[in-house]
Amino acid sequence: MVEGAQLNQAEAGQRYEVFHTDCPARDVVDHVTSRWGTWVLISLRSNDLRFYELRDGIQGISEKMLAQTLRALVQDGLVWRKVEPTTPPQVTYGLTEFGRDIGEPLTELFDRITRRLSPRGAG
């Protein structure tokens, strides 16, 4: 396959060649399935949240990793970002239609896993 042919195929209505290293869909999949991408999408499934709410809600994520993850998901069109011009600026994040579409099966997966696990401490 010729480099750059991925975009031409997509524009023509054909499917991406996701196993090709030049495929832009691979980047989106990498961001969604990254260590923190899934948690951000699941966190935003029912509410728009401010940066600090995401940081506090996703235990173990650093501010740097949250910022990087959000930046990638915004660039991919999965998450929107709104900045209120206050001091300090209030930044709110939410799912786009594409993000809701992608987040739905992730939420189902999360719900299935948590239903099947034994309660903590039940050994």
Side-chain angles (χ1 to χ4, degrees):
M1 175 171 259
V2 178
E3 191 171 309
Q6 294 298 316
L7 296 176
N8 293 336
Q9 281 188 337
E11 291 167 2
Q14 296 178 5
R15 296 180 62 88
Y16 283 107
E17 294 286 337
V18 295
F19 293 103
H20 190 277
T21 57
D22 192 32
C23 181
R26 283 179 77 155
D27 289 336
V28 176
V29 171
D30 286 346
H31 297 151
V32 168
T33 61
S34 70
R35 179 173 183 188
W36 300 112
T38 301
W39 296 115
V40 168
L41 293 172
I42 290 172
S43 296
L44 292 171
R45 72 184 178 268
S46 55
N47 292 319
D48 302 339
L49 297 171
R50 305 239 327 258
F51 183 89
Y52 78 89
E53 292 171 316
L54 282 165
R55 183 199 62 213
D56 293 348
I58 304 172
Q59 294 186 2
I61 193 168
S62 68
E63 285 193 16
K64 178 182 176 184
M65 283 310 303
L66 179 57
Q68 287 177 356
T69 301
L70 286 166
R71 193 175 306 116
L73 295 173
V74 167
Q75 184 177 349
D76 292 339
L78 298 165
V79 171
W80 55 260
R81 178 179 189 265
K82 180 181 177 187
V83 180
E84 294 290 330
T86 59
T87 305
Q90 295 181 7
V91 184
T92 305
Y93 296 90
L95 294 178
T96 64
E97 184 179 337
F98 182 32
R100 284 190 300 277
D101 191 38
I102 297 299
E104 194 173 304
L106 293 175
T107 298
E108 275 185 45
L109 176 65
F110 174 79
D111 290 344
R112 285 180 184 204
I113 290 169
T114 55
R115 279 194 308 267
R116 295 291 299 236
L117 289 176
S118 299
R120 286 187 147 228

